[in-house]
Amino acid sequence: MKTVWLNTTAYQLPQAWPECTSRQITALLPLTLVPLDLLEPPERAVLKARALAEILPVPKKTAQQLTVEQRYRLGQLTRWIWTEKLQHKPLDWFEVDGVHYHLPEPHYSNTSAIEIAMANIHYLAYTRPENPNSLAVYSLIATLCRPVRKDAETFRQSADWNGDLREEFNSVLADERARRFQKLSIGQVMAVLKYFEWMNNRFFESYQDVYDSDESDEPPLYKNGEGILTSLMDIAKLGVFGNFDQVCKQNVHTVWIFLRDNNLKIKRETERLEKEMEDLRSEAR
């Protein structure tokens, strides 16, 4: 927070997304859709003034008495809104039709494998360059954000407790809720979407050795994210965690640690065989 003095009164001005309230975040994010540096100075000043009104709640009379120089300097203190990325949980829940829908915890700590698979399929449908599906973002939100389960207190005390109080993912319910979520404000949609993008990028970066990093001219086998689902199917065939439904319910980190371990062992065995073949070729020469 930055302390700003106006007429002998001190005000706290946020200088980063984590310093903002959930209400401020959902109000500010839509403003970032406008590229600040492409605007003419007068338009830029208006946009910064809108941002400032959200994060610096000064009395109306005080705001009217600000000089041009004060407005300019205060406006400069809002620039981080357009340059910094949201990299934290922006809100715990949102409400639709009287129901609270809770976001997953940071770093996918309480998120199941099937959620990641389905969320990525919806995200790719929403962001694909050709014929993007704008409604897929609501399916993504419905996949990740769910009400607290009715047996939450009992579940918390059971041997099955996994740290997640949200209802188990259900694709039918998710489809129904996706239509309901079209009532969300653009700020709420952006908050969940940016949160997902931050977590998802960090997750796949931390497990990048699960995937073959070698360059290849061959096109990917699956272009729409189905590859994650097929990976879960392959694990189910091995019976490591049980059947497909049981694999889907596993914490995503548990599943990806297995995938990483399995992939590294395969690579090591491949390298050993290649070395043996090379040694045999050398002896033959």
Side-chain angles (χ1 to χ4, degrees):
M1 289 284 190
K2 185 176 182 63
T3 302
V4 175
W5 289 88
L6 297 173
N7 297 340
T8 71
T9 302
Y11 298 92
Q12 295 298 308
L13 185 67
Q15 289 294 278
W17 290 110
E19 295 176 355
C20 295
T21 65
S22 296
R23 185 196 62 77
Q24 289 172 331
I25 290 172
T26 55
L28 293 173
L29 281 174
L31 302 182
T32 66
L33 294 173
V34 182
L36 193 66
D37 292 333
L38 298 182
L39 297 177
E40 294 297 323
E43 298 171 318
R44 197 180 306 160
V46 170
L47 197 59
K48 288 181 177 179
R50 287 182 60 186
L52 197 62
E54 296 293 341
I55 57 178
L56 188 66
V58 300
K60 186 176 181 180
K61 184 177 180 180
T62 301
Q64 292 172 339
Q65 293 174 344
L66 295 176
T67 66
V68 173
E69 182 179 359
Q70 285 176 316
R71 293 179 189 277
Y72 173 78
R73 290 184 175 180
L74 288 171
Q76 290 297 95
L77 297 177
T78 67
R79 195 169 185 84
W80 62 268
I81 296 169
W82 286 269
T83 59
E84 300 295 326
K85 292 183 178 180
L86 189 146
Q87 296 184 329
H88 78 292
K89 189 178 184 182
L91 59 159
D92 290 323
W93 52 266
F94 58 82
E95 183 178 339
V96 176
D97 295 337
V99 179
H100 289 185
Y101 294 89
H102 295 256
L103 279 64
E105 289 301 306
H107 314 301
Y108 289 151
S109 62
N110 68 340
T111 306
S112 66
I114 189 61
E115 291 175 67
I116 302 305
M118 296 307 299
N120 275 275
I121 287 174
H122 296 314
Y123 181 71
L124 289 174
Y126 175 68
T127 59
R128 63 192 174 207
E130 296 181 4
N131 299 318
N133 180 1
S134 60
L135 297 180
V137 69
Y138 299 109
S139 296
L140 185 155
I141 296 172
T143 297
L144 298 174
C145 306
R146 305 188 297 278
V148 171
R149 53 193 297 160
K150 294 179 180 179
D151 63 343
E153 291 307 314
T154 304
F155 181 59
R156 189 194 290 271
Q157 304 301 321
S158 72
D160 295 325
W161 169 240
N162 59 4
D164 188 8
L165 286 176
R166 295 170 300 158
E167 291 178 354
E168 286 188 3
F169 171 73
N170 180 293
S171 60
V172 176
L173 285 176
D175 289 341
E176 293 175 359
R177 288 166 179 167
R179 291 189 288 272
R180 220 171 296 157
F181 287 175
Q182 293 181 36
K183 300 177 182 179
L184 292 172
S185 70
I186 187 172
Q188 290 172 312
V189 170
M190 290 184 69
V192 179
L193 180 61
K194 296 298 181 184
Y195 179 47
F196 165 77
E197 289 178 332
W198 168 63
M199 284 199 299
N200 207 53
N201 288 337
R202 289 192 62 181
F203 176 79
F204 284 105
E205 285 173 4
S206 65
Y207 290 104
Q208 58 185 339
D209 47 4
V210 167
Y211 305 97
D212 190 358
S213 60
D214 295 337
E215 294 184 2
S216 175
D217 295 330
E218 294 184 6
L221 194 58
Y222 300 99
K223 297 181 179 180
N224 301 315
E226 300 97 329
I228 299 178
L229 267 179
T230 60
S231 293
L232 302 185
M233 293 175 185
D234 290 338
I235 295 174
K237 291 175 184 176
L238 297 174
V240 177
F241 302 110
N243 59 30
F244 179 67
D245 186 55
Q246 291 169 318
V247 173
C248 289
K249 293 178 180 179
Q250 289 293 319
N251 180 276
V252 67
H253 289 281
T254 303
V255 173
W256 257 255
I257 287 172
F258 169 78
L259 286 172
R260 178 168 59 189
D261 177 68
N262 193 55
N263 195 44
L264 290 175
K265 286 177 179 176
I266 291 173
K267 284 185 177 181
R268 179 177 294 180
E269 181 63 15
T270 301
E271 291 171 358
R272 186 187 67 80
L273 291 174
E274 288 176 349
K275 185 178 184 306
E276 286 183 359
M277 292 299 295
E278 183 60 34
D279 290 343
L280 287 172
R281 283 192 291 267
S282 297
E283 290 175 6
R285 289 196 294 267

